[in-house]
Amino acid sequence: MSKNLDKSSVNEAGKSKSNDSEQGLEDAVEGADEALQKAIKSDSSSPQRVQRPHSSPPRFVTVEELLETARGVTNMALAHEIVVNGDFQIKPVELPENSLKKRVKEIVHKAFWDCLSAQLSEDPPAYDHAIKLVGEIKETLLSFLLPGHTRLRNQITEVLDLDLIKQEAENGALDISKLAEFIIGMMGTLCAPARDEEVKKLKDIKEIVPLFREIFSVLDLMKVDMANFAISSIRPHLMQQSVEYERKKFQEILERQPNSLDFVTQWLEEASEDLMTQKYKHALPAGGAAAGSGDMPRLSPVAVQNYAYLKLLKWDHLQRPFPETVLMDQSRFHELQLQLEQLTILGAVLLVTFSMAAPGISSQADFAEKLKMIVKILLTDMHLPSFHLKDVLTTIGEKVCLEVSSCLSLCGSSPFTTDKETVLKGQIQAVASPDDPIRRIMESRILTFLETYLASGHQKPLPTVPGGLSPVQRELEEVAIKFARLVNYNKMVFCPYYDAILSKILVRS
């Protein structure tokens, strides 16, 4: 469906700020690539896609081209994850129990340590393997040092001098326990506070082979800590250059796979058509048409883009392929979508409750907050397969009526009649249907608020919350800020591509 974009127009829209800084970003990303590739692939996976529409004749590609493209996608996803996810961390690899990989690893490790034990048990002991291990430990400890750690570097180099250690071993004067004691002390100096307990336990191990095994285990954890420290340190610098880096990587992918914007084109075409026809004006806020000549309004590219982003919050992730340029954030958009669905149900329940109850009951902040927390807790598992909304709304109706009756009694107001309870329970149960008028009103107002926030340029203070949404204002504003951050970053990276596509779409419309 899409045509390959003119490379010159995209490059002109976003030139690199600094080749040196971009290279530094690429080095940082590719340095962590191997450790994180598995995690990123699982985080970035998407539901099964339908067949991609062909915009150009099929072209055979080599295995090398596919691998290079995959590596580019992984690096771009890694850079994106580090920048966008403030909580991003490398986790130690834990193989599944009883898995083949874990069994093979255990067998190989056991054979290695058994071999070391056998060498040390010889008379005289053979230290070949042990010295190699000391060399690996030495290199690992040195890798933890910063440029200013001159004294520590000298200590490690002097004490763990492999040539001297080999001479001592040959002359029968090697004290392996003293080397282990120095190594443990240096690990305690260099480790993060979270590893103090693990390092302390090493001092209680007296046998050499188990001690070396545990030393390497703790060193692996320290490597993870150091990698996470490095990520947190470079994140501000990555933020400055990640836009150019991601755009460059995507352009490389686009050159290898010219149909990599097919679903983006389809997504933007649908947004444009929806705005023109107002096909979903009750489900999604339109607001974007600019005045123009003739009967058909003219659309601005910004309005179409904003509308397109809102459509992502109503996406069928199981049946529809996600646009390529937002694919790395699919899980985040999906999470926001689930939060908004829960917020819609919560807002609808509170709206019908406060409408049915006595006029002054909704103004009591403590009661309103308590009622909201009760409903939120009952809706916590809303998106699990075992969750049945209709049954839960029945329970919510019972709880709400009890709370309302109790509040009216404490306030000395007229009691909540049986007829009103029946009506309120019925209205709450009706919210289970996506076509329920109250639910549709809540959904429309929530999306209108998000659209207004996008159109405002994310300026503070946030737009006024539409009527009926005051009880969930805090939750709605939190979602709006997360949504706007995702949208803003995605625009900065891919706006040249969107502009090029929309320039063709809007000319036809």
Side-chain angles (χ1 to χ4, degrees):
M1 181 175 290
S2 71
K3 308 296 187 293
N4 189 18
L5 292 179
D6 181 5
K7 180 180 176 182
S8 62
S9 65
V10 173
N11 290 342
E12 184 178 355
K15 293 181 178 178
S16 175
K17 297 177 183 178
S18 167
N19 291 335
D20 293 339
S21 55
E22 185 180 275
Q23 184 62 45
L25 170 62
E26 187 162 356
D27 292 342
V29 169
E30 294 185 359
D33 176 39
E34 184 177 353
L36 292 167
Q37 189 170 2
K38 182 178 177 180
I40 293 300
K41 283 182 179 178
S42 63
D43 290 342
S44 303
S45 61
S46 61
Q48 184 176 2
R49 289 192 159 205
V50 298
Q51 185 176 0
R52 180 185 292 278
H54 294 291
S55 62
S56 56
R59 181 176 71 89
F60 293 105
V61 295
T62 65
V63 174
E64 289 74 12
E65 287 177 311
L66 288 175
L67 291 175
E68 185 64 24
T69 300
R71 187 168 182 269
V73 172
T74 302
N75 286 343
M76 184 172 67
L78 178 55
H80 182 85
E81 191 72 18
I82 292 174
V83 172
V84 174
N85 183 3
D87 297 325
F88 177 80
Q89 282 191 330
I90 301 173
K91 301 291 179 61
V93 177
E94 295 183 3
L95 298 176
E97 286 292 334
N98 301 321
S99 66
L100 178 61
K101 284 186 177 180
K102 185 166 185 176
R103 290 203 301 271
V104 171
K105 180 181 177 181
E106 290 173 348
I107 291 170
V108 172
H109 281 208
K110 184 178 185 302
F112 175 84
W113 294 114
D114 286 348
C115 179
L116 177 63
S117 179
Q119 285 194 346
L120 295 179
S121 300
E122 293 178 6
D123 188 16
Y127 291 105
D128 295 347
H129 275 47
I131 292 174
K132 289 180 181 178
L133 293 181
V134 171
E136 291 182 23
I137 293 172
K138 175 184 177 181
E139 293 304 317
T140 302
L141 292 175
L142 290 174
S143 71
F144 294 152
L145 300 180
L146 298 175
H149 291 159
T150 306
R151 183 178 60 82
L152 293 177
R153 189 180 305 278
N154 291 337
Q155 283 183 359
I156 295 172
T157 304
E158 180 181 342
V159 176
L160 302 182
D161 185 335
L162 297 186
D163 292 334
L164 179 59
I165 292 173
K166 288 177 183 177
Q167 291 178 12
E168 291 177 345
E170 291 170 357
N171 296 321
L174 179 60
D175 189 344
I176 201 78
S177 299
K178 272 196 171 181
L179 290 179
E181 183 180 343
F182 171 80
I183 290 170
I184 294 172
M186 190 58 66
M187 289 171 65
T189 301
L190 298 176
C191 73
R195 304 299 173 201
D196 285 343
E197 193 62 31
E198 283 96 335
V199 174
K200 184 178 179 181
K201 290 178 181 178
L202 296 176
K203 298 178 181 179
D204 298 330
I205 303 175
K206 304 305 180 184
E207 296 184 21
I208 295 301
V209 174
L211 177 58
F212 267 88
R213 186 167 54 226
E214 290 306 311
I215 284 175
F216 274 93
S217 177
V218 176
L219 284 175
D220 285 341
L221 295 176
M222 291 174 63
K223 289 177 184 178
V224 173
D225 296 337
M226 182 55 105
N228 287 325
F229 172 74
I231 287 173
S232 62
S233 300
I234 67 175
R235 181 174 282 117
H237 306 289
L238 288 179
M239 184 70 76
Q240 296 170 11
Q241 303 301 328
S242 60
V243 170
E244 296 295 336
Y245 178 79
E246 286 191 41
R247 188 183 299 153
K248 172 192 170 186
K249 285 297 179 184
F250 186 80
Q251 182 62 36
E252 292 174 359
I253 295 169
L254 188 61
E255 289 168 357
R256 295 189 186 95
Q257 304 290 331
N259 61 347
S260 296
L261 283 170
D262 285 358
F263 294 127
V264 171
T265 302
Q266 182 181 348
W267 169 51
L268 294 176
E269 282 179 341
E270 287 181 5
S272 175
E273 291 170 2
D274 290 351
L275 276 178
M276 291 293 291
T277 61
Q278 295 297 301
K279 182 178 179 181
Y280 301 114
K281 64 180 179 180
H282 297 299
L284 291 172
S293 59
D295 295 331
M296 295 298 291
R298 293 185 60 84
L299 302 176
S300 71
V302 173
V304 176
Q305 285 184 44
N306 288 346
Y307 192 91
Y309 286 116
L310 289 172
K311 286 175 69 68
L312 299 179
L313 300 177
K314 298 285 292 177
W315 205 264
D316 185 348
H317 293 265
L318 295 179
Q319 299 297 327
R320 296 200 58 191
F322 217 58
E324 296 90 342
T325 52
V326 286
L327 192 57
M328 289 188 294
D329 286 318
Q330 180 172 9
S331 61
R332 294 184 180 88
F333 279 108
H334 191 206
E335 182 181 351
L336 291 176
Q337 180 177 345
L338 298 180
Q339 290 178 14
L340 288 177
E341 289 175 2
Q342 187 182 66
L343 208 54
T344 299
I345 301 296
L346 175 61
V349 169
L350 295 178
L351 180 62
V352 298
T353 300
F354 294 142
S355 299
M356 284 290 299
I361 198 171
S362 61
S363 61
Q364 299 186 31
D366 292 343
F367 171 74
E369 191 64 26
K370 179 182 178 182
L371 192 63
K372 181 173 74 173
M373 288 305 301
I374 291 173
V375 178
K376 281 181 70 174
I377 291 172
L378 292 173
L379 292 175
T380 298
D381 299 329
M382 179 174 164
H383 296 100
L384 295 180
S386 59
F387 187 89
H388 298 287
L389 181 58
K390 194 170 183 178
D391 295 341
V392 173
L393 285 175
T394 300
T395 304
I396 288 175
E398 297 286 348
K399 292 287 293 181
V400 165
C401 287
L402 285 175
E403 292 297 330
V404 170
S405 297
S406 175
C407 182
L408 291 174
S409 176
L410 290 174
C411 295
S413 302
S414 302
F416 205 48
T417 65
T418 304
D419 290 341
K420 284 187 175 183
E421 281 191 11
T422 302
V423 173
L424 178 57
K425 290 177 183 178
Q427 288 186 342
I428 290 176
Q429 291 174 7
V431 173
S433 170
D435 296 323
D436 176 65
I438 303 299
R439 179 171 170 175
R440 289 175 64 85
I441 288 173
M442 287 292 99
E443 182 182 271
S444 177
R445 289 178 180 178
I446 286 173
L447 292 172
T448 298
F449 175 79
L450 294 176
E451 192 277 338
T452 305
Y453 185 45
L454 286 184
S456 69
H458 324 145
Q459 296 177 355
K460 292 186 178 182
L462 275 71
T464 303
V465 174
L469 292 175
S470 297
V472 294
Q473 178 176 348
R474 184 180 72 254
E475 292 82 358
L476 180 56
E477 289 179 346
E478 289 175 357
V479 171
I481 292 172
K482 292 178 183 177
F483 178 60
R485 284 176 179 168
L486 276 181
V487 169
N488 187 48
Y489 185 81
N490 185 266
K491 280 184 177 182
M492 287 192 296
V493 176
F494 297 106
C495 196
Y497 300 98
Y498 298 152
D499 289 343
I501 294 172
L502 287 172
S503 66
K504 300 174 183 177
I505 294 175
L506 296 181
V507 166
R508 298 197 302 263
S509 61

